[in-house]
Amino acid sequence: MAAHIGRRLRKGAATTAVAAAAVAALSASQAPGATVDDQGRQSTGDAASAPDTAADDSATGNSPYYTDLPPLNSPNPSPSAGSGDAGDQRAGEAGIPATVLDAYKQAEATLREKKPGCNLPWQLLAAIGKVESGQARGGRVTADGTTVTPILGPQLDGNGFALIRDTDNGAYDGNRMYDQAVGPMQFIPSTWDWAGRDGNGDGRKDPNNIYDAALAAGHYLCRFDWDLSQQGDLRKAILSYNNSTDYLNTVLSWLEFYRRGTHEIPDGTGALPVDRSDDTARPGVTPSAPGTTPPARPGKPSGSRPSPSPAAPGNGGSPSTPPVTPPPATPPTPTDTVHHLEDAGTGTLTAMAGHTFAERVSTRAETEAGKAVAKVRIRFTLVGDTDTTFTGGETVATVTTDASGVAVAPALQAGERTGAFAVQAAVVGRSVKGVPYKATVTARAADALALAGEKEPTCVAGGEFAQPVQVKATYRGEAAGKVAVTATLVTSADDPAENDKGPYFKDADGKAVRSLTGLRTDADGQLTLPKLYADDTAGTFLLRLTTAGGATLDVKLTVEPAAAPSPEPDPSTDPAPSTDPAPSTDPSTDPSETPAA
């Protein structure tokens, strides 16, 4: 026992500095007067106002967890640290197995879309996964993320643990008397029943699958509209997962460690944790191995581990040492057999900005002999200065190879940023040379422009055009939205030089300009040009519109002469008015109307 305690003290002295920063940050947010009982559970302060965290209402039922703290060395391996046994051990401690890391990042991406206000970092899932199962026992998972062997906590029978009687008829944990925490994120069956999620899209919610479990853990931590970027909410969320201050401090230590950087390691090569919160040093009992049912606590019937051997006759009363049985060899997984990746017939990857790529990236996993390998996870990652994404808005997609060894990436959706980038295909969980695919996004274009109105614009010299110029751009018969358009008043149909007379636009200062750039059609391909004005020159003029893609439209503009003003009368040329009296209309004075005698 002294040797066991001494080992833990030496490990604690070496790692206390790592936890100090996290604990110091935590202390500022703890409520005054908060106390902790002998099980490490907070009894006052925030716990009183936090959501119910009773054992049967938490993620793990407050099951035991691993207490190993992060190493003091950097989480990113240096060249010198990568050689030799010591370097390999440090890399294993700091690294995260590829499939497990992929699951954490996918869960973060999903929660970023589903619950953006939660601000869940994947590093928190990694910290909890480290403390709960040692990253799924060092990444011992199959190609689809399912643990090679089940990971079970001790039965929660109330003897040193919470008392949670069976809730699932043994469906998840195989125990029909008491519940046990299950899987890499250690959910108890009653919690998994409502918190479980399908993270890998296979139509099942399996607590033994790291993709399902990581997504479920993310939803669980975000379930009360907590903002995990706030220290107080982060603390409540972790305590709701396992209500122990020691657990909280251990998770925070790993969270800060992973935030400083980490690296991917092959599946199955992660360092296995050693110390568990329920480990009790007793003669003849070895601390529990990761992911197995721990040895019985004092007073608890023994589970799967045999009791210490009684003293053998004739050996002086000393207990016999049981033989060490090497673990059975793990059969190679499909991932282990992959030697290289090959392009599976991907065509040219080109698309216009804002459009979906017609071609999809296709990759084939092969053995050294060129044989197809099915059920291998291929990760496709977008690399370069681009805002292009896969369908769904992600920059990383993981696809399992089919029976022919081929994985087809989701369709690419081009953003607005033009230029070249790459799609990198790699095997999840194995370091083999990947396959890069070059892709290009071209500018938005139109192949046709048409005048929206039926009449060509006209105005009078010196006036302004009352009818605005409206056009519609199309590409292959469909509306061409957000296409750049240039408008120039050209000299003639044969001379594209800018005209120096006739109609014109006005700039921001009110000055005449006869060429405009930076115009852009709306989402429906429509464009209404700014108002046009005319100088004193009458005649017919051409407005030329051009777009990327070669579409050109000449719009005829007619400027009519201004109407001549009516001349003022000249008094010197007017005839003199007549002085003769006007003829009388009185019949009595008109001889022709005099009656006959």
Side-chain angles (χ1 to χ4, degrees):
M1 179 173 182
H4 176 75
I5 295 175
R7 175 176 60 80
R8 295 195 66 173
L9 288 176
R10 288 193 299 273
K11 181 177 181 66
T15 56
T16 299
V18 177
V23 175
L26 171 70
S27 63
S29 64
Q30 285 184 327
T35 60
V36 176
D37 62 19
D38 58 354
Q39 296 298 320
R41 296 180 176 86
Q42 184 176 324
S43 57
T44 62
D46 284 354
S49 60
D52 183 14
T53 55
D56 59 350
D57 193 38
S58 68
T60 69
N62 298 331
S63 294
Y65 55 91
Y66 289 106
T67 59
D68 298 43
L69 291 174
L72 293 175
N73 56 291
S74 168
N76 293 312
S78 63
S80 60
S83 58
D85 294 340
D88 293 340
Q89 182 178 4
R90 287 195 296 271
E93 289 177 341
I96 299 178
T99 298
V100 179
L101 180 59
D102 188 57
Y104 295 151
K105 291 186 175 181
Q106 283 202 25
E108 179 200 55
T110 300
L111 268 297
R112 189 187 310 125
E113 177 185 354
K114 300 294 184 183
K115 296 187 177 181
C118 181
N119 294 308
L120 171 78
W122 66 261
Q123 292 91 341
L124 176 59
L125 297 176
I128 291 176
K130 179 69 175 181
V131 172
E132 291 294 348
S133 68
Q135 310 298 19
R137 283 193 267 181
R140 287 162 176 79
V141 295
T142 61
D144 68 350
T146 303
T147 57
V148 175
T149 56
I151 301 176
L152 296 174
Q155 66 178 11
L156 300 175
D157 58 2
N159 189 358
F161 309 108
L163 174 59
I164 305 179
R165 301 191 185 278
D166 176 57
T167 62
D168 65 327
N169 199 29
Y172 294 117
D173 53 15
N175 189 333
R176 297 188 178 184
M177 294 185 64
Y178 302 98
D179 274 353
Q180 294 175 250
V182 181
M185 303 304 280
Q186 288 289 277
F187 280 93
I188 55 173
S190 57
T191 302
W192 182 261
D193 189 54
W194 60 265
R197 294 292 191 277
D198 177 15
N200 62 350
D202 63 357
R204 300 174 59 239
K205 300 176 182 178
D206 181 4
N208 297 296
N209 182 280
I210 185 59
Y211 287 93
D212 294 358
L215 183 58
H219 277 280
Y220 184 91
L221 295 166
C222 295
R223 71 195 186 286
F224 288 115
D225 291 329
W226 282 323
D227 179 359
L228 302 185
S229 65
Q230 301 297 318
Q231 186 70 18
D233 284 356
L234 173 65
R235 178 177 176 275
K236 292 176 184 178
I238 297 173
L239 285 172
S240 78
Y241 209 90
N242 192 315
N243 193 19
S244 161
T245 301
D246 287 341
Y247 178 88
L248 170 70
N249 293 342
T250 306
V251 169
L252 287 173
S253 298
W254 283 104
L255 172 60
E256 293 304 316
F257 181 76
Y258 289 137
R259 275 176 167 166
R260 295 202 309 271
T262 185
H263 58 280
E264 178 180 293
I265 59 176
D267 289 343
T269 64
L272 302 181
V274 176
D275 299 317
R276 265 177 46 152
S277 59
D278 64 324
D279 278 344
T280 302
R282 294 185 286 117
V285 177
T286 303
S288 57
T292 60
T293 302
R297 297 174 66 88
K300 177 180 177 180
S302 176
S304 60
R305 187 181 297 277
S307 302
S309 301
N315 64 358
S318 61
S320 61
T321 301
V324 177
T325 303
T330 302
T333 66
T335 302
D336 296 330
T337 67
V338 177
H339 177 266
H340 60 272
L341 295 178
E342 292 285 347
D343 176 25
T346 305
T348 302
L349 296 170
T350 302
M352 188 187 302
H355 289 238
T356 301
F357 281 72
E359 191 72 19
R360 294 168 65 177
V361 177
S362 181
T363 301
R364 175 181 162 96
E366 298 182 354
T367 64
E368 186 173 7
K371 183 180 178 180
V373 184
K375 297 182 180 180
V376 174
R377 296 184 70 82
I378 305 298
R379 182 187 296 119
F380 299 95
T381 305
L382 304 187
V383 181
D385 185 16
T386 182
D387 56 355
T388 294
T389 64
F390 291 110
T391 301
E394 300 300 325
T395 59
V396 178
T398 305
V399 180
T400 302
T401 57
D402 59 18
S404 61
V406 174
V408 181
L412 287 167
Q413 179 65 41
E416 296 301 322
R417 195 171 302 163
T418 60
F421 64 97
V423 181
Q424 183 73 32
V427 179
V428 175
R430 187 165 176 79
S431 297
V432 299
K433 186 177 180 180
V435 179
Y437 297 84
K438 182 180 178 181
T440 305
V441 176
T442 60
R444 289 178 178 264
D447 55 16
L449 282 170
L451 191 64
E454 296 180 359
K455 295 182 179 180
E456 294 177 336
T458 62
C459 82
V460 176
E464 60 184 49
F465 288 79
Q467 178 185 351
V469 176
Q470 293 180 319
V471 296
K472 181 170 184 178
T474 56
Y475 182 78
R476 296 180 180 176
E478 301 292 333
K482 300 181 181 179
V483 174
V485 179
T486 299
T488 305
L489 289 147
V490 297
T491 303
S492 68
D494 299 324
D495 186 356
E498 184 179 306
N499 207 337
D500 60 357
K501 58 184 177 181
Y504 61 90
F505 300 103
K506 287 184 179 180
D507 63 13
D509 298 326
K511 296 180 180 180
V513 293
R514 290 185 168 85
S515 183
L516 292 178
T517 59
L519 302 173
R520 196 170 291 273
T521 62
D522 62 16
D524 297 323
Q526 302 277 356
L527 172 64
T528 299
L529 271 65
K531 185 182 286 292
L532 275 164
Y533 302 86
D535 61 14
D536 295 334
T537 308
T540 301
F541 302 90
L542 285 182
L543 171 64
R544 179 163 292 174
L545 304 174
T546 58
T547 71
T552 301
L553 174 66
D554 285 344
V555 180
K556 181 180 177 182
L557 304 176
T558 301
V559 179
E560 298 176 347
S566 300
E568 293 292 335
D570 187 354
S572 63
T573 61
D574 287 347
S578 174
T579 58
D580 293 339
S584 174
T585 59
D586 186 354
S588 63
T589 62
D590 187 352
S592 63
E593 297 295 330
T594 301

